[in-house]
Amino acid sequence: MKAGRASLGAQSLAVIALFCAGARAEAQGTAPVAPETLPSSDAAGLDPTSDMAPLPDLGVEWPTTDDAGIVPSGDTPSKADKDAETGADAQAEQHYQIVIDGLDDAEGLSNETRAGLRLRFDSLSALKEGDGKGNIAQIDRRARQDEELLGELLRAAGFYEATVATRIERPAGGKLRVVLDSDPGTLYTLAAIDLPGIDAAGDRAPEVRKALGLKIGDPVDADRIAAGQAAVTAELGREGFVFAKVAEPELTVDHEAHNAALSMAIDPNGARKFGAIRLDGDRLFSAKHIGRIARFRPGQPYDSARIEDLRRALIQTGLVSAVTIKPVQTSDPDVVDVSVKLEPAPPRTISGALGYGTGEGYRVEASWQHRNLIKPEGGVTFRGVLGTQEQTLGAILRRNNYKARDRVLTGQVFLSHLDQNAYEARSVTIAAGMERQTNIIWQKKWTWFYGVEFVASKEDDTVKATGAPRSRQYLIGALPTGLTYDGSDDLLNPSKGYRLSGRISPELSLQGSAFGYVKAQVDGSYYQPVTDRVVMAGRVRLGSILGAGAERIAPTRRFYAGGGGSVRGFGYQKIGPLDVNGDPAGGRSLAEFSIESRVRFGDFGVVPFIDGGNLYAATLPTFDNLRYGAGLGVRYYTSFGPIRVDVGTPLNRRPGDSRVTVYVSLGQAF
């Protein structure tokens, strides 16, 4: 197409000047003023007291309403109405509402496209930007802009013959109504789709063609075509064509047949393989360590999805604020190296927490962490807890991505004092382990851990039968191991699927003489959506200690039940066998269950629940005399997970049990 040329005369230039002045005046909330025609004499000779020259008639009139209360946009008023140009009605602020007619009945306009069209119109509309008020001139100018905008949006959606007309109505005693009458016309569809050059992709061509997501007969929708172009580009990168070029889509429209032919040229430019990792700039990590994190190896086919995975994994370390990754052509035409540039993030963190739980009292926790004190990714944390029932001071080493992706090496040393109803313990703990971790970004199906633990502890409790106080010292060695399968859809707020985990810890205890036992626990949970707003969730926990009697086992190593992560409605450790003083004695076996209904309303939700469970002196749980608690929870859903507040009460309380308990935490109860 050739663009025509036209010259602008003096009057046209004056109209443009008036339009620009009007635009500035609208932004300042004043009426536009026509430019004055200055005399040709020198400015020094002007008489400031003389009358101004008459304004030229530029032929631009203010809109006025007809007898029916309608302002036909663009109509020229009569000579008798010209005084309204500067009158109070034209200058007064008017309130208006916007109505779009014709879209709901348009043939071929899907509900999804209609909703998207309205959303985009609202975000770009000059009338919407005007906040529903302005003088008549401003409203008319905005209506003209929106008339053109709606027409363009309809054409982009495939309605090439769309027409839009605007009118302004003034109902008696009401605010103005700006009506955009739209007639989308016939929907144009794709009659042909051609991707010249795609055959150069070889056996990968079908996948690239499939990524376009368009077929003959689909609407000529600009958004879908642009999305298809982006998808083709991404698929070429995933198939190894790192330097591929995808031309801008070209449409040949046939107005008589109401269809169009789409052509989009593709130059795959040859498939490549991964080469070496190169570092550019700050060497926060070595190339070897980045290679451990990457899910690709030299010689494998290039895949842009694996490059994006590496970028996210580097950000996930917490040590990187920005990552730039680029393919670099090597001397081998089939190989590209990967250039990585890292911008370091602040490595130190100070954090604190304050909490309260019924039966547990207050708890204040503070920590200082250096996430790269021992390179690479060797984070050291010093942590302290000061609470009603716990005082702890310790250090933790955590080496992320140790020898392999997502593998974590841990080591810790703790001094602790626990003053529970069941016991009082002063302990020194040294532990180390290896684990495969899961997180919100990469939620793993399978995770595991294994380790070693040494505990030296002085523990005070009572003899269950007599209530006599006693104090004993323990040296304990343990080999804890665990395996978890997570088939749920979300780490902090699951709505479907299930989880199953098992933990086993062979332990050797020295108290007077050496003896051994095995502590085992199994947890399972299931999540079932009922409606879009309601999810039913259930949990079961079973535990057992084999090889030693409960009285011989250190009080800190026994099972306990009750509290926010156990049976809600009861205080912490308030379920199970009691000594003659009414204090918890712990048990060798455990059985618990929970059922709750998670009902969500936007960012808030309510959760009615019922829990049950008990402890037993026997090796295996007998499921007798279960204790039940029920209550109601409130959830506030944030971007990082729900904040939980649960209020529970025991249904079969014993003397001394609280009537109401409160629990506050992050994430669902299970």
Side-chain angles (χ1 to χ4, degrees), residues 186-261:
T186 303
L187 176 64
Y188 282 50
T189 58
L190 292 173
I193 301 174
D194 188 22
L195 302 178
I198 193 173
D199 291 341
D203 58 358
R204 302 178 178 93
E207 291 299 321
V208 176
R209 190 183 298 275
K210 182 180 178 181
L212 180 63
L214 297 173
K215 63 181 183 298
I216 304 299
D218 283 347
V220 186
D221 188 316
D223 286 344
R224 291 187 59 185
I225 293 174
Q229 179 189 17
V232 166
T233 302
E235 183 62 27
L236 285 166
R238 286 191 291 267
E239 296 294 341
F241 301 101
V242 59
F243 299 120
K245 296 179 181 179
V246 180
E248 290 297 318
E250 295 183 359
L251 287 171
T252 304
V253 179
D254 186 340
H255 289 282
E256 291 185 1
H258 300 110
N259 58 34

Coordinates of all heavy atoms in Angstrom, one line a residue, residues 186-261:
T186 N -19.1 -9.4 10.5 CA -18.7 -10.8 10.3 C -17.3 -11.1 10.8 O -16.4 -10.4 10.7 CB -18.8 -11.2 8.8 OG1 -20.1 -10.9 8.3 CG2 -18.5 -12.6 8.6
L187 N -17.2 -12.3 11.5 CA -15.9 -12.7 12.0 C -15.1 -13.3 10.9 O -15.5 -14.2 10.2 CB -16.1 -13.7 13.2 CG -14.8 -14.4 13.7 CD1 -14.0 -13.3 14.4 CD2 -15.2 -15.5 14.7
Y188 N -13.9 -12.8 10.7 CA -13.0 -13.4 9.7 C -12.2 -14.5 10.3 O -11.8 -14.5 11.5 CB -12.0 -12.3 9.3 CG -12.5 -11.3 8.3 CD1 -13.7 -10.6 8.5 CD2 -11.9 -11.0 7.1 CE1 -14.2 -9.7 7.6 CE2 -12.4 -10.1 6.2 CZ -13.6 -9.4 6.5 OH -14.1 -8.5 5.6
T189 N -12.0 -15.6 9.5 CA -11.3 -16.8 10.0 C -10.1 -17.1 9.1 O -9.9 -16.5 8.0 CB -12.3 -18.0 9.9 OG1 -12.8 -18.2 8.6 CG2 -13.5 -17.8 10.9
L190 N -9.3 -18.0 9.6 CA -8.0 -18.3 8.9 C -8.4 -19.4 7.8 O -8.9 -20.4 8.1 CB -7.0 -18.9 9.8 CG -6.4 -18.0 10.9 CD1 -5.5 -18.7 11.9 CD2 -5.6 -16.9 10.2
A191 N -8.0 -19.0 6.6 CA -8.2 -19.9 5.4 C -7.0 -20.7 5.1 O -7.1 -21.7 4.4 CB -8.7 -19.1 4.2
A192 N -5.8 -20.2 5.5 CA -4.6 -20.9 5.2 C -3.5 -20.5 6.2 O -3.5 -19.4 6.7 CB -4.1 -20.5 3.8
I193 N -2.7 -21.4 6.6 CA -1.6 -21.2 7.5 C -0.3 -21.7 6.9 O -0.2 -22.9 6.6 CB -1.8 -21.9 8.9 CG1 -3.1 -21.3 9.5 CG2 -0.6 -21.6 9.8 CD1 -3.5 -22.1 10.8
D194 N 0.7 -20.9 6.7 CA 1.9 -21.3 6.0 C 3.1 -20.9 6.9 O 3.2 -19.7 7.4 CB 2.0 -20.6 4.6 CG 3.2 -21.2 3.8 OD1 3.7 -22.3 4.1 OD2 3.7 -20.5 2.9
L195 N 4.0 -21.8 7.1 CA 5.2 -21.5 7.9 C 6.4 -21.8 7.0 O 7.1 -22.9 7.1 CB 5.3 -22.4 9.1 CG 4.1 -22.3 10.1 CD1 4.3 -23.3 11.3 CD2 4.0 -20.9 10.6
P196 N 6.8 -20.9 6.1 CA 7.9 -21.2 5.2 C 9.2 -21.4 5.9 O 9.5 -20.6 6.9 CB 8.0 -19.9 4.3 CG 6.6 -19.2 4.5 CD 6.1 -19.6 5.8
G197 N 9.9 -22.4 5.6 CA 11.2 -22.7 6.2 C 11.2 -23.7 7.3 O 12.2 -24.1 7.8
I198 N 10.0 -24.1 7.7 CA 9.9 -25.0 8.9 C 10.5 -26.4 8.6 O 10.9 -27.1 9.5 CB 8.4 -25.1 9.3 CG1 8.4 -25.8 10.7 CG2 7.6 -25.9 8.3 CD1 7.0 -25.8 11.3
D199 N 10.5 -26.8 7.3 CA 11.0 -28.1 6.9 C 12.5 -28.2 7.3 O 13.0 -29.3 7.5 CB 10.9 -28.4 5.4 CG 9.4 -28.5 5.1 OD1 8.6 -28.8 6.0 OD2 9.1 -28.3 3.9
A200 N 13.2 -27.1 7.5 CA 14.6 -27.1 7.9 C 14.8 -27.6 9.3 O 15.9 -28.0 9.7 CB 15.3 -25.7 7.7
A201 N 13.7 -27.7 10.1 CA 13.8 -28.2 11.4 C 13.8 -29.8 11.4 O 13.9 -30.4 12.5 CB 12.6 -27.7 12.2
G202 N 13.6 -30.4 10.3 CA 13.7 -31.8 10.2 C 12.6 -32.5 11.0 O 11.4 -32.2 10.9
D203 N 13.0 -33.6 11.7 CA 12.0 -34.4 12.4 C 11.4 -33.6 13.6 O 10.4 -34.1 14.2 CB 12.6 -35.7 12.9 CG 13.8 -35.5 13.8 OD1 14.2 -34.3 14.0 OD2 14.4 -36.5 14.3
R204 N 11.9 -32.4 13.9 CA 11.3 -31.6 15.0 C 10.2 -30.7 14.5 O 9.6 -30.0 15.3 CB 12.4 -30.8 15.7 CG 13.5 -31.7 16.3 CD 14.6 -30.8 16.9 NE 15.7 -31.5 17.6 CZ 16.8 -31.9 17.0 NH1 17.0 -31.5 15.7 NH2 17.7 -32.6 17.6
A205 N 10.1 -30.6 13.2 CA 9.1 -29.7 12.6 C 7.7 -29.9 13.1 O 7.0 -28.9 13.3 CB 9.2 -29.8 11.0
P206 N 7.2 -31.2 13.2 CA 5.8 -31.3 13.7 C 5.6 -30.7 15.1 O 4.5 -30.2 15.3 CB 5.6 -32.9 13.7 CG 6.6 -33.4 12.7 CD 7.8 -32.5 12.8
E207 N 6.5 -30.9 16.0 CA 6.4 -30.3 17.3 C 6.3 -28.8 17.2 O 5.6 -28.1 18.0 CB 7.5 -30.7 18.2 CG 7.4 -32.2 18.6 CD 6.1 -32.5 19.3 OE1 5.7 -31.7 20.2 OE2 5.6 -33.6 19.1
V208 N 7.2 -28.2 16.4 CA 7.2 -26.7 16.2 C 5.9 -26.2 15.6 O 5.3 -25.3 16.1 CB 8.4 -26.3 15.3 CG1 8.3 -24.8 15.1 CG2 9.7 -26.7 16.0
R209 N 5.4 -27.0 14.6 CA 4.1 -26.6 14.0 C 2.9 -26.7 15.0 O 2.0 -25.9 15.1 CB 3.8 -27.5 12.8 CG 2.6 -27.0 12.0 CD 2.4 -28.0 10.8 NE 3.5 -28.1 9.9 CZ 3.7 -27.2 8.9 NH1 2.8 -26.2 8.7 NH2 4.7 -27.4 8.1
K210 N 3.0 -27.7 15.9 CA 2.0 -27.9 16.9 C 2.0 -26.8 17.9 O 0.9 -26.4 18.4 CB 2.2 -29.3 17.6 CG 1.1 -29.6 18.6 CD 1.4 -31.0 19.2 CE 0.4 -31.4 20.3 NZ 0.8 -32.7 20.9
A211 N 3.1 -26.3 18.2 CA 3.2 -25.2 19.2 C 2.5 -23.9 18.8 O 2.1 -23.1 19.6 CB 4.7 -24.9 19.5
L212 N 2.3 -23.7 17.5 CA 1.6 -22.5 17.0 C 0.2 -22.5 17.6 O -0.2 -21.4 17.9 CB 1.6 -22.6 15.5 CG 0.9 -21.4 14.8 CD1 1.6 -20.1 15.1 CD2 0.8 -21.6 13.3
G213 N -0.4 -23.6 17.7 CA -1.7 -23.6 18.4 C -2.9 -23.0 17.5 O -3.9 -22.6 18.1
L214 N -2.7 -22.9 16.2 CA -3.7 -22.4 15.3 C -4.1 -23.4 14.2 O -3.2 -24.2 13.8 CB -3.3 -21.1 14.7 CG -3.0 -19.9 15.6 CD1 -2.3 -18.7 14.8 CD2 -4.2 -19.4 16.3
K215 N -5.3 -23.4 13.8 CA -5.7 -24.3 12.7 C -6.7 -23.5 11.8 O -7.2 -22.4 12.1 CB -6.4 -25.5 13.3 CG -7.7 -25.2 14.1 CD -8.2 -26.5 14.6 CE -9.6 -26.3 15.3 NZ -9.4 -25.4 16.5
I216 N -6.9 -24.1 10.6 CA -7.8 -23.5 9.6 C -9.2 -23.4 10.3 O -9.7 -24.3 10.9 CB -7.9 -24.4 8.4 CG1 -6.5 -24.6 7.7 CG2 -8.8 -23.8 7.4 CD1 -5.8 -23.3 7.3
G217 N -9.8 -22.2 10.1 CA -11.1 -22.0 10.6 C -11.1 -21.2 11.9 O -12.2 -20.8 12.4
D218 N -9.9 -21.1 12.6 CA -9.9 -20.3 13.8 C -10.0 -18.8 13.4 O -9.7 -18.3 12.3 CB -8.5 -20.5 14.5 CG -8.4 -21.8 15.2 OD1 -9.5 -22.4 15.4 OD2 -7.3 -22.2 15.6
P219 N -10.5 -18.0 14.4 CA -10.6 -16.5 14.2 C -9.3 -15.9 13.9 O -8.3 -16.4 14.4 CB -11.2 -16.0 15.5 CG -11.9 -17.2 16.1 CD -11.0 -18.4 15.7
V220 N -9.3 -14.9 13.1 CA -8.1 -14.1 12.8 C -7.9 -13.1 14.0 O -8.1 -11.9 13.9 CB -8.2 -13.3 11.5 CG1 -6.9 -12.7 11.2 CG2 -8.6 -14.2 10.4
D221 N -7.5 -13.7 15.1 CA -7.3 -13.0 16.4 C -5.9 -12.6 16.6 O -5.0 -13.5 16.6 CB -7.8 -13.9 17.5 CG -7.9 -13.2 18.9 OD1 -6.9 -12.4 19.2 OD2 -8.8 -13.4 19.6
A222 N -5.6 -11.3 16.7 CA -4.2 -10.8 16.7 C -3.5 -11.4 18.0 O -2.3 -11.7 17.9 CB -4.2 -9.3 16.7
D223 N -4.2 -11.5 19.1 CA -3.6 -12.0 20.3 C -3.2 -13.4 20.2 O -2.1 -13.8 20.6 CB -4.6 -11.8 21.5 CG -4.7 -10.4 22.0 OD1 -3.8 -9.6 21.6 OD2 -5.7 -10.0 22.7
R224 N -4.1 -14.2 19.6 CA -3.7 -15.6 19.5 C -2.6 -15.8 18.5 O -1.8 -16.7 18.7 CB -5.0 -16.4 19.0 CG -6.1 -16.5 20.0 CD -7.2 -17.5 19.6 NE -6.7 -18.8 19.3 CZ -7.4 -19.8 18.8 NH1 -8.7 -19.6 18.5 NH2 -6.9 -21.0 18.6
I225 N -2.5 -15.0 17.5 CA -1.4 -15.1 16.5 C -0.1 -14.7 17.1 O 0.9 -15.4 17.0 CB -1.7 -14.2 15.3 CG1 -2.9 -14.8 14.5 CG2 -0.5 -14.1 14.4 CD1 -3.4 -14.0 13.3
A226 N -0.1 -13.6 18.0 CA 1.1 -13.2 18.7 C 1.5 -14.3 19.7 O 2.7 -14.6 19.8 CB 0.8 -11.9 19.4
A227 N 0.5 -14.9 20.4 CA 0.9 -15.9 21.3 C 1.5 -17.2 20.6 O 2.4 -17.8 21.1 CB -0.4 -16.3 22.1
G228 N 0.9 -17.5 19.4 CA 1.4 -18.5 18.6 C 2.9 -18.3 18.1 O 3.7 -19.2 18.1
Q229 N 3.2 -17.1 17.8 CA 4.5 -16.7 17.4 C 5.5 -16.9 18.5 O 6.6 -17.5 18.4 CB 4.6 -15.2 16.9 CG 5.9 -14.8 16.5 CD 6.0 -13.3 16.2 OE1 5.1 -12.5 16.7 NE2 7.0 -12.8 15.5
A230 N 5.1 -16.4 19.7 CA 5.9 -16.6 20.9 C 6.1 -18.1 21.2 O 7.2 -18.5 21.6 CB 5.3 -15.9 22.1
A231 N 5.1 -18.9 21.1 CA 5.1 -20.3 21.4 C 6.1 -21.0 20.4 O 6.8 -21.9 20.8 CB 3.8 -20.9 21.4
V232 N 6.0 -20.7 19.1 CA 6.9 -21.2 18.1 C 8.4 -20.9 18.4 O 9.2 -21.8 18.4 CB 6.5 -20.8 16.7 CG1 7.6 -21.1 15.7 CG2 5.2 -21.4 16.3
T233 N 8.6 -19.7 18.8 CA 10.0 -19.3 19.2 C 10.5 -20.1 20.4 O 11.6 -20.6 20.4 CB 10.0 -17.8 19.5 OG1 9.5 -17.0 18.4 CG2 11.4 -17.3 19.8
A234 N 9.6 -20.2 21.4 CA 10.0 -21.0 22.6 C 10.3 -22.5 22.3 O 11.2 -23.1 22.7 CB 8.9 -20.9 23.7
E235 N 9.4 -23.1 21.4 CA 9.5 -24.5 21.1 C 10.8 -24.7 20.3 O 11.5 -25.7 20.5 CB 8.3 -24.9 20.3 CG 8.3 -26.4 19.9 CD 8.3 -27.3 21.1 OE1 7.8 -26.9 22.2 OE2 8.8 -28.5 21.0
L236 N 11.2 -23.8 19.4 CA 12.4 -23.9 18.6 C 13.6 -23.9 19.6 O 14.5 -24.7 19.4 CB 12.5 -22.8 17.6 CG 11.7 -22.9 16.4 CD1 11.6 -21.5 15.6 CD2 12.2 -24.0 15.4
G237 N 13.5 -23.1 20.6 CA 14.6 -23.1 21.6 C 14.7 -24.4 22.4 O 15.8 -24.9 22.7
R238 N 13.5 -24.9 22.7 CA 13.5 -26.2 23.4 C 14.0 -27.3 22.6 O 14.5 -28.3 23.1 CB 12.1 -26.5 24.0 CG 11.7 -25.6 25.2 CD 10.4 -26.2 25.8 NE 9.3 -26.0 24.9 CZ 8.5 -24.9 25.0 NH1 8.7 -23.9 25.9 NH2 7.4 -24.8 24.2
E239 N 13.8 -27.2 21.3 CA 14.3 -28.3 20.3 C 15.7 -28.1 19.9 O 16.2 -28.8 19.0 CB 13.4 -28.3 19.1 CG 11.9 -28.7 19.4 CD 11.7 -30.1 19.9 OE1 12.7 -30.9 19.7 OE2 10.7 -30.4 20.6
G240 N 16.4 -27.1 20.5 CA 17.9 -27.0 20.2 C 18.2 -25.9 19.2 O 19.4 -25.7 19.0
F241 N 17.2 -25.2 18.6 CA 17.5 -24.2 17.6 C 17.7 -22.8 18.3 O 16.8 -22.0 18.3 CB 16.4 -24.1 16.6 CG 16.2 -25.4 15.8 CD1 15.1 -26.3 16.2 CD2 17.0 -25.8 14.8 CE1 14.9 -27.5 15.5 CE2 16.8 -27.0 14.2 CZ 15.8 -27.9 14.5
V242 N 18.8 -22.7 19.0 CA 19.0 -21.6 19.8 C 19.1 -20.2 19.1 O 18.7 -19.2 19.6 CB 20.3 -21.8 20.6 CG1 21.5 -22.0 19.7 CG2 20.6 -20.7 21.6
F243 N 19.5 -20.2 17.8 CA 19.6 -19.0 17.1 C 18.6 -18.9 16.0 O 18.7 -18.2 15.0 CB 21.0 -18.9 16.4 CG 22.2 -18.9 17.4 CD1 23.1 -19.9 17.4 CD2 22.2 -17.9 18.3 CE1 24.2 -19.9 18.3 CE2 23.3 -17.9 19.3 CZ 24.3 -18.9 19.2
A244 N 17.5 -19.6 16.2 CA 16.4 -19.6 15.2 C 15.8 -18.1 15.1 O 15.8 -17.4 16.1 CB 15.3 -20.5 15.6
K245 N 15.2 -17.8 13.9 CA 14.6 -16.6 13.7 C 13.1 -16.8 13.2 O 12.9 -17.7 12.3 CB 15.3 -15.8 12.6 CG 16.7 -15.4 13.1 CD 17.4 -14.6 12.0 CE 18.9 -14.2 12.4 NZ 19.6 -13.5 11.3
V246 N 12.2 -16.1 13.8 CA 10.8 -16.2 13.5 C 10.3 -14.9 13.0 O 10.4 -13.9 13.8 CB 9.9 -16.7 14.6 CG1 8.5 -16.8 14.2 CG2 10.4 -18.1 15.1
A247 N 9.9 -14.8 11.7 CA 9.5 -13.5 11.2 C 8.2 -13.1 11.7 O 7.4 -13.8 12.3 CB 9.4 -13.6 9.7
E248 N 7.9 -11.8 11.6 CA 6.6 -11.2 12.0 C 5.5 -11.9 11.2 O 5.7 -12.0 9.9 CB 6.6 -9.7 11.9 CG 7.4 -9.0 12.9 CD 7.0 -9.2 14.3 OE1 5.7 -9.2 14.5 OE2 7.8 -9.4 15.2
P249 N 4.3 -12.2 11.8 CA 3.2 -12.8 11.0 C 2.7 -11.8 9.9 O 2.7 -10.6 10.1 CB 2.2 -13.0 12.0 CG 2.9 -13.0 13.4 CD 4.0 -12.1 13.2
E250 N 2.4 -12.4 8.7 CA 1.8 -11.6 7.7 C 0.4 -12.1 7.3 O 0.3 -13.3 7.2 CB 2.7 -11.6 6.4 CG 4.1 -11.0 6.6 CD 4.9 -11.0 5.3 OE1 4.4 -11.5 4.3 OE2 6.0 -10.5 5.4
L251 N -0.5 -11.2 7.2 CA -1.9 -11.6 6.9 C -2.3 -11.1 5.5 O -2.1 -9.9 5.3 CB -2.9 -11.1 7.9 CG -2.9 -11.8 9.3 CD1 -3.7 -11.1 10.3 CD2 -3.4 -13.3 9.2
T252 N -2.9 -11.9 4.7 CA -3.5 -11.5 3.5 C -5.0 -11.7 3.6 O -5.5 -12.8 3.7 CB -3.0 -12.3 2.3 OG1 -1.6 -12.3 2.2 CG2 -3.6 -11.8 1.0
V253 N -5.7 -10.5 3.7 CA -7.1 -10.5 4.0 C -8.0 -10.5 2.7 O -7.7 -9.7 1.8 CB -7.5 -9.3 4.9 CG1 -9.0 -9.3 5.2 CG2 -6.6 -9.4 6.2
D254 N -9.0 -11.4 2.7 CA -9.9 -11.4 1.6 C -11.3 -10.9 2.1 O -12.0 -11.7 2.8 CB -10.0 -12.8 1.0 CG -10.9 -12.9 -0.2 OD1 -11.8 -12.0 -0.4 OD2 -10.8 -13.9 -0.9
H255 N -11.6 -9.7 1.8 CA -12.8 -9.1 2.4 C -14.1 -9.7 1.8 O -15.1 -9.7 2.4 CB -12.8 -7.6 2.2 CG -11.8 -6.9 3.1 ND1 -12.0 -6.7 4.4 CD2 -10.6 -6.4 2.8 CE1 -10.9 -6.0 4.9 NE2 -10.0 -5.9 3.9
E256 N -14.0 -10.2 0.6 CA -15.2 -10.8 0.0 C -15.5 -12.2 0.6 O -16.7 -12.5 0.9 CB -15.0 -11.0 -1.5 CG -15.0 -9.6 -2.3 CD -14.9 -9.9 -3.8 OE1 -14.9 -11.1 -4.2 OE2 -14.8 -8.9 -4.5
A257 N -14.5 -12.9 0.9 CA -14.7 -14.3 1.5 C -14.6 -14.2 3.0 O -14.9 -15.2 3.7 CB -13.6 -15.2 1.0
H258 N -14.3 -13.1 3.6 CA -14.3 -12.9 5.0 C -13.3 -13.9 5.7 O -13.6 -14.5 6.7 CB -15.7 -13.1 5.7 CG -16.7 -12.1 5.2 ND1 -17.7 -12.4 4.4 CD2 -16.8 -10.7 5.4 CE1 -18.5 -11.4 4.1 NE2 -17.9 -10.3 4.7
N259 N -12.1 -14.0 5.1 CA -11.1 -14.8 5.7 C -9.7 -14.2 5.4 O -9.6 -13.1 4.8 CB -11.2 -16.2 5.2 CG -11.1 -16.4 3.7 OD1 -10.3 -15.6 3.1 ND2 -11.8 -17.3 3.1
A260 N -8.7 -14.9 5.9 CA -7.3 -14.4 5.7 C -6.4 -15.5 5.7 O -6.6 -16.6 6.3 CB -6.9 -13.4 6.9
A261 N -5.3 -15.3 5.0 CA -4.2 -16.3 5.0 C -3.0 -15.8 5.8 O -2.6 -14.7 5.7 CB -3.7 -16.5 3.5

